[in-house]
Amino acid sequence: MVPMNHTHSPPFAEALLALCLAGSALAPVASAEQMYPDVIAVKARERPANTFEFDVTVSSPYDTPRRYADGIRAMAKDGAVLGQRKLFHDHASEQPFTRTLRVVLIPDAVRVVVIQARDSKYGFGGKTVEVTLPGRRE
């Protein structure tokens, strides 16, 4: 048996290494799965009796019938939920999409609300939007 010279790789190993490196350079890099929908815009309107409504624009480009943005909510800055809306279907062909959250009763002391969206698999999360309520100042 001939001893192998450890300073040089056998030709087939060099070729295999070159092929693997070339393949990995050409392979697409998988991006991380987006877990949550993002709220990208909100328009607030004051209504009678300390109520407000919010036109909420959500981006959830991963939407499919099996997993989608399935809710929106308005919260006080301390996390208290003031109102929410359940969404019952995906919006895969409508990205981004806008839905209205109506008849949200907001105490007089609250000046700013946080709007957040919900994912059917992972729950609430993603980018939020803080909104100063019309007619109320911080």
Side-chain angles (χ1 to χ4, degrees):
M1 186 155 107
V2 177
M4 195 165 180
N5 180 348
H6 292 287
T7 59
H8 296 310
S9 300
F12 73 90
E14 289 176 5
L16 182 59
L17 179 61
L19 182 60
C20 288
L21 291 174
S24 68
L26 299 176
V29 176
S31 62
E33 176 184 35
Q34 181 175 342
M35 292 179 63
Y36 302 106
D38 292 325
V39 175
I40 58 174
V42 177
K43 181 178 179 185
R45 286 183 300 285
E46 187 174 14
R47 296 294 184 224
N50 281 334
T51 62
F52 291 81
E53 64 184 35
F54 303 91
D55 294 332
V56 181
T57 302
V58 175
S59 174
S60 54
Y62 59 83
D63 263 22
T64 69
R66 298 182 79 186
R67 182 175 159 241
Y68 56 93
D70 72 343
I72 51 177
R73 70 181 176 186
M75 302 179 299
K77 288 178 93 173
D78 67 4
V81 176
L82 304 168
Q84 55 188 359
R85 178 179 173 180
K86 176 82 173 147
L87 304 175
F88 293 98
H89 61 84
D90 71 279
H91 303 89
S93 63
E94 183 188 359
Q95 286 295 319
F97 66 94
T98 301
R99 294 296 178 273
T100 302
L101 178 57
R102 299 184 198 291
V103 194
V104 180
L105 180 60
I106 301 180
D108 285 331
V110 175
R111 304 287 182 249
V112 175
V113 296
V114 179
I115 307 297
Q116 187 176 44
R118 184 182 189 285
D119 175 77
S120 60
K121 180 177 179 182
Y122 296 109
F124 283 100
K127 293 179 184 172
T128 61
V129 171
E130 286 191 7
V131 180
T132 300
L133 298 171
R136 299 184 183 182
R137 302 234 187 266
E138 272 195 275

